[in-house]
């Protein structure tokens, strides 16, 4: 069921990307991120819509943190993709700590071990994307991520990442 949900979200993302301009190279992505940086600072954060149930969506994004092993071939790019999906989600939705804790508690041991292996890399990539998207343009392009983070309001993402880190590792930073 998780793989189906992940597949459907990936398919939806692919359709959304196909509707936009996806022919940019990494230099163009970096330029695009830089040119939209002023938009990010000029736009007020949009609070999450409390009537929108994001529980399933949150669980699907979190599933992306355990569907690979960071210590295998391609793991760093998969970690970057998982971090990008997480940052994108956190840019428009609040993290529900109870949902995240329940999700983690329900993981089978194999996936819990993957979370333990993958989380530090995902967290580092997510923090880097949230703090300076332009500096991550090459990594994201190599990972196949086409999201324009420069056009997003990312100011609340670092605090949301701290919340997740407390749940997943017991550490604030």
């Amino acid at each position: 069921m998780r793989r189906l949900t992940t597949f459907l979200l990936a398919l939806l993302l692919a359709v959304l990307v196909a509707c936009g301009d996806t022919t940019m190279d990494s230099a163009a992505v970096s330029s695009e991120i830089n040119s939209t940086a002023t938009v990010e600072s000029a736009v007020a954060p949009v609070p999450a819509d409390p009537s929108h149930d994001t529980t399933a969506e949150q669980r699907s994004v979190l599933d992306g943190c355990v569907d690979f092993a960071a210590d295998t071939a391609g793991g760093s790019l998969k970690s970057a993709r998982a971090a990008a999906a997480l940052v994108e989600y956190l840019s428009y939705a609040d993290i529900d700590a109870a949902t995240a804790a329940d999700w983690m508690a329900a993981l089978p041991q194999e996936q819990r071990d993957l979370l333990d292996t993958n989380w530090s890399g995902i967290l580092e990539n997510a923090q880097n994307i949230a703090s300076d998207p332009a500096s991550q343009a090459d990594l994201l392009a190599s990972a196949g991520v086409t999201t324009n983070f420069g056009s997003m309001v990312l100011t609340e993402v670092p605090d949301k990442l701290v919340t997740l880190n407390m749940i997943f590792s017991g550490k604030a930073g």
Side-chain angles (χ1 to χ4, degrees):
M1 184 64 171
R2 290 181 190 176
R3 292 198 188 278
L4 176 62
T5 303
T6 303
F7 171 77
L8 291 175
L9 283 174
L11 181 62
L12 176 62
L13 180 60
V15 169
L16 292 174
V17 168
C19 292
D21 180 29
T22 60
T23 59
M24 290 187 216
D25 62 13
S26 62
V29 170
S30 181
S31 172
E32 178 72 16
I33 289 171
N34 289 332
S35 69
T36 58
T38 56
V39 173
E40 179 179 341
S41 61
V43 177
V46 178
D49 179 1
S51 66
H52 178 72
D53 178 19
T54 60
T55 301
E57 189 176 3
Q58 179 177 322
R59 288 178 179 273
S60 178
V61 169
L62 295 176
D63 284 344
C65 296
V66 295
D67 67 356
F68 68 96
D71 57 354
T72 61
S76 62
L77 295 178
K78 292 174 185 173
S79 178
R81 277 195 301 264
L86 184 60
V87 169
E88 183 174 2
Y89 173 77
L90 294 176
S91 73
Y92 65 84
D94 287 330
I95 193 70
D96 181 351
T99 298
D102 291 346
W103 171 84
M104 186 179 78
L107 290 175
Q109 187 60 47
E110 180 181 311
Q111 287 186 315
R112 180 58 196 261
D113 293 343
L114 285 172
L115 181 62
D116 291 343
T117 300
N118 299 346
W119 178 245
S120 63
I122 293 169
L123 177 63
E124 181 179 358
N125 282 323
Q127 289 169 330
N128 291 339
I129 294 167
S131 67
D132 187 7
S135 72
Q136 302 303 304
D138 288 340
L139 173 64
L140 294 173
S142 295
V145 176
T146 58
T147 306
N148 182 356
F149 290 100
S151 67
M152 295 179 180
V153 178
L154 302 175
T155 54
E156 295 181 11
V157 171
D159 289 338
K160 295 173 184 181
L161 290 169
V162 168
T163 299
L164 280 175
N165 196 43
M166 283 294 298
I167 296 165
F168 295 159
S169 72
K171 300 175 188 170

